[in-house]
Amino acid sequence: MLVLSRKPNESIIIGDNVEVKVVEVRGEQVKLGITAPRDIPVHRKEIYDSIHKQNLSAVQKKHTNLEKLSNIFKKKKDPSQ
Amino acid sequence: MKTTIKHEERASSLNGSKMFFPEGIIGFETHKEYRIVSEKSKEPFFWMQSQSDSGINFIIMDPLEVKLDYKPVVSLLDKTALQISDIEECMCYVIVCVPQGSDQISANLLAPLMINKEKNICRQVVLQEQDYSIQHLVLDEMLKKIEDKNVSSFAQAK
């Protein structure tokens, strides 16, 4: 991993068009400003990690009784059923 | 993306549909081909089965069933990957999580499955700057009011 030291208001450029700027450092928190083209998604890593985790816990061996789940769902949507 | 068709029609028209994810889904990158198994009695839930591993199945549903105003905004990168120019060219499903021994049945609204209707290219996209939950509760408090509340039995073998 490339490690660079930066001060507030200094930035780094990744490729031709992604700029990451240190906006503020306060205690343990660093605020970063990211300028990137609209077609480059920027996510907090925890979000990716939590989607990964959620997918892993959603995977099924087909034992879930979907009919029962379906009945409860329909009852919830329309209690008269 | 609007789903106005009736449940019965949808279940039969979707059953057996193939889904091709060129990049897999997050955490399951090597599994690229899935098939939808839908039955009227299981609406609005469907199975999405991996074609390469029978042990990999997901429960999916139309997000509009749990969030009427759901409106995912897809990035240019995702549109390029899906080979679409407009979101209307896609169908959208979300993965439902039914944890064992828990009644916290949730849908992942932050990372929907987008499907190019014409070319059948699918992708799990991560929405940016949209305040949707990874664990949007599907049944929430209403469940507690229903007598048959033994939801934990869903997760057990039939």
Side-chain angles (χ1 to χ4, degrees):
Chain A
M1 191 196 290
L2 171 69
V3 179
L4 300 168
S5 297
R6 299 280 71 193
K7 290 179 182 145
N9 280 321
E10 291 182 341
S11 59
I12 61 163
I13 296 274
I14 301 171
D16 285 336
N17 43 22
V18 178
E19 181 177 2
V20 182
K21 186 177 192 176
V22 179
V23 175
E24 188 187 283
V25 180
R26 191 185 287 171
E28 288 212 323
Q29 198 157 41
V30 181
K31 262 192 194 155
L32 301 174
I34 296 146
T35 313
R38 279 196 55 212
D39 62 347
I40 295 187
V42 177
H43 301 290
R44 291 178 176 85
K45 186 168 185 289
E46 314 88 85
I47 291 184
Y48 245 92
D49 291 345
S50 48
I51 290 168
H52 186 269
K53 209 172 130 207
Q54 191 64 15
N55 280 350
L56 291 183
S57 45
V59 74
Q60 300 267 333
K61 291 203 163 127
K62 266 204 123 181
H63 291 153
T64 296
N65 186 341
L66 279 193
E67 271 123 28
K68 205 168 165 188
L69 189 60
S70 165
N71 284 337
I72 292 199
F73 184 83
K74 285 171 190 156
K75 259 191 212 168
K76 185 211 148 173
K77 281 211 131 177
D78 179 7
S80 67
Q81 273 190 19
Chain B
M1 227 194 69
K2 274 271 177 292
T3 23
T4 46
I5 40 172
K6 295 246 162 63
H7 281 168
E8 304 86 71
E9 297 166 22
R10 184 170 63 183
S12 56
S13 73
L14 278 178
N15 193 34
S17 310
K18 296 221 167 92
M19 297 171 83
F20 178 59
F21 291 82
E23 288 157 62
I25 66 170
I26 298 167
F28 296 87
E29 284 77 4
T30 57
H31 300 275
K32 299 180 192 297
E33 286 180 44
Y34 290 83
R35 197 169 64 96
I36 292 185
V37 178
S38 64
E39 285 167 53
K40 192 187 153 199
S41 62
K42 293 173 180 162
E43 281 274 2
F45 305 102
F46 313 113
W47 284 110
M48 184 176 96
Q49 298 183 320
S50 163
Q51 295 294 85
S52 49
D53 185 340
S54 60
I56 294 182
N57 303 279
F58 292 94
I59 300 165
I60 60 171
M61 74 187 303
D62 180 346
L64 296 175
E65 295 276 0
V66 288
K67 193 145 182 62
L68 277 175
D69 58 351
Y70 187 65
K71 218 172 168 20
V73 178
V74 174
S75 73
L76 200 55
L77 180 91
D78 290 318
K79 282 184 184 163
T80 307
L82 283 160
Q83 297 183 22
I84 56 162
S85 52
D86 191 286
I87 187 94
E88 293 293 320
E89 296 166 52
C90 277
M91 285 192 299
C92 179
Y93 291 101
V94 289
I95 296 178
V96 176
C97 185
V98 184
Q100 291 231 344
S102 158
D103 56 3
Q104 300 291 298
I105 296 164
S106 64
N108 183 347
L109 298 188
L110 192 69
L113 309 175
M114 305 301 298
I115 299 138
N116 176 330
K117 283 187 275 196
E118 198 184 315
K119 296 183 177 162
N120 192 28
I121 299 167
C122 312
R123 181 175 172 85
Q124 184 172 33
V125 308
V126 181
L127 304 179
Q128 291 188 74
E129 293 172 46
Q130 281 194 286
D131 197 17
Y132 290 127
S133 172
I134 290 177
Q135 293 179 312
H136 180 89
L137 294 182
V138 170
L139 300 171
D140 58 44
E141 311 82 35
M142 296 295 287
L143 186 67
K144 298 189 185 89
K145 294 176 190 160
I146 296 168
E147 279 193 359
D148 181 16
K149 61 178 178 183
N150 189 12
V151 181
S152 55
S153 62
F154 287 137
Q156 291 164 8
K158 274 183 220 172

